[in-house]
Amino acid sequence: VGLTTAGFSVFDAVVLQPVASPRADELVTMYQDFQGVKKRRVYGARRMFSVPEYHAYRDATRTLSGLAAFTRSWTVTLGSDSPREIGGALVSCNYFDVLRIVPALGPGLTAANCEAPDAPPAVVVSHSLWTTAFGGDRSIVGQSIALNGRAVTVAGVAPEGFGGIDVEQVSFFVPLSMQEVLQPGERDYLDPHTSWLT
């Protein structure tokens, strides 16, 4: 009975629960298939994308209104005085736009804090993290928080109940380019031969 219950819980979370998007029925998932490719580093599954591949698909699509990408949950340390571990996702700049998710506070991720080569590190925190770790402080947008010891500016607060569209819900969202900031030396985020984006 225990195994059956656990199995159904996973099936329910993955298949039966709707994606937290106002137009979830219009969302599709893209995968790619490799044949004869040997020079490939995999952080998740071979069907995942590298950043250059994601950019190529995003720029070439003619049938989709938008194409967003994200990573599985990454664990980082929040704060410095009383640090705690939290999970977050690296996402493309258009992640919230494609999902039609409007932040509860702040502008969220924009080209100004996301795509410019010299853009300062930015983060959108989940509503849950905002209320538990920051006391629901409405002036948090524009302030800095510490992620893995690095100062990151809060660009917004996600709407209540939204923790991403993957099975594992996350507490924050940062641009893909922040991979080098949060985990330097872990991998080259622009490497065309590295699978790590969904």
Side-chain angles (χ1 to χ4, degrees), residues 40-130:
R40 192 78 182 176
R41 285 186 291 283
V42 179
Y43 295 90
R46 283 176 59 86
R47 69 178 183 270
M48 291 180 171
F49 307 104
S50 67
V51 171
E53 288 165 345
Y54 159 66
H55 287 162
Y57 290 131
R58 179 200 63 191
D59 297 343
T61 184
R62 298 293 177 266
T63 58
L64 303 173
S65 61
L67 187 63
F70 62 95
T71 65
R72 302 291 171 142
S73 179
W74 284 35
T75 301
V76 302
T77 302
L78 169 68
S80 52
D81 296 334
S82 300
R84 62 189 268 199
E85 286 193 342
I86 58 172
L90 283 85
V91 300
S92 56
C93 292
N94 64 348
Y95 179 78
F96 290 98
D97 292 336
V98 169
L99 294 176
R100 311 277 174 93
I101 300 290
V102 179
L105 285 177
L109 300 178
T110 65
N113 59 28
C114 194
E115 292 180 343
D118 57 348
V123 60
V124 172
V125 298
S126 71
H127 196 277
S128 175
L129 183 66
W130 174 58

Side-chain angles (χ1 to χ4, degrees), residues 115-191:
E115 292 180 343
D118 57 348
V123 60
V124 172
V125 298
S126 71
H127 196 277
S128 175
L129 183 66
W130 174 58
T131 55
T132 57
F134 304 106
D137 180 5
R138 297 186 65 82
S139 66
I140 193 171
V141 176
Q143 295 184 26
S144 291
I145 62 174
L147 295 179
N148 278 0
R150 297 291 301 266
V152 182
T153 303
V154 176
V157 175
E160 187 172 3
F162 183 76
I165 59 172
D166 204 4
V167 176
E168 186 176 354
Q169 298 290 279
V170 297
S171 297
F172 69 89
F173 307 86
V174 294
L176 296 175
S177 57
M178 278 190 57
Q179 182 265 325
E180 295 178 313
V181 174
L182 297 182
Q183 296 196 349
E186 176 73 14
R187 68 197 75 157
D188 177 4
Y189 98 102
L190 288 175
D191 183 350

Side-chain angles (χ1 to χ4, degrees), residues 4-36:
T4 303
T5 302
F8 179 77
S9 296
V10 172
F11 180 77
D12 180 54
V14 176
V15 179
L16 302 181
Q17 294 301 315
V19 174
S21 170
R23 297 174 76 171
D25 59 326
E26 297 179 6
L27 297 177
V28 296
T29 301
M30 275 187 59
Y31 298 105
Q32 60 186 356
D33 183 34
F34 291 99
Q35 296 181 3

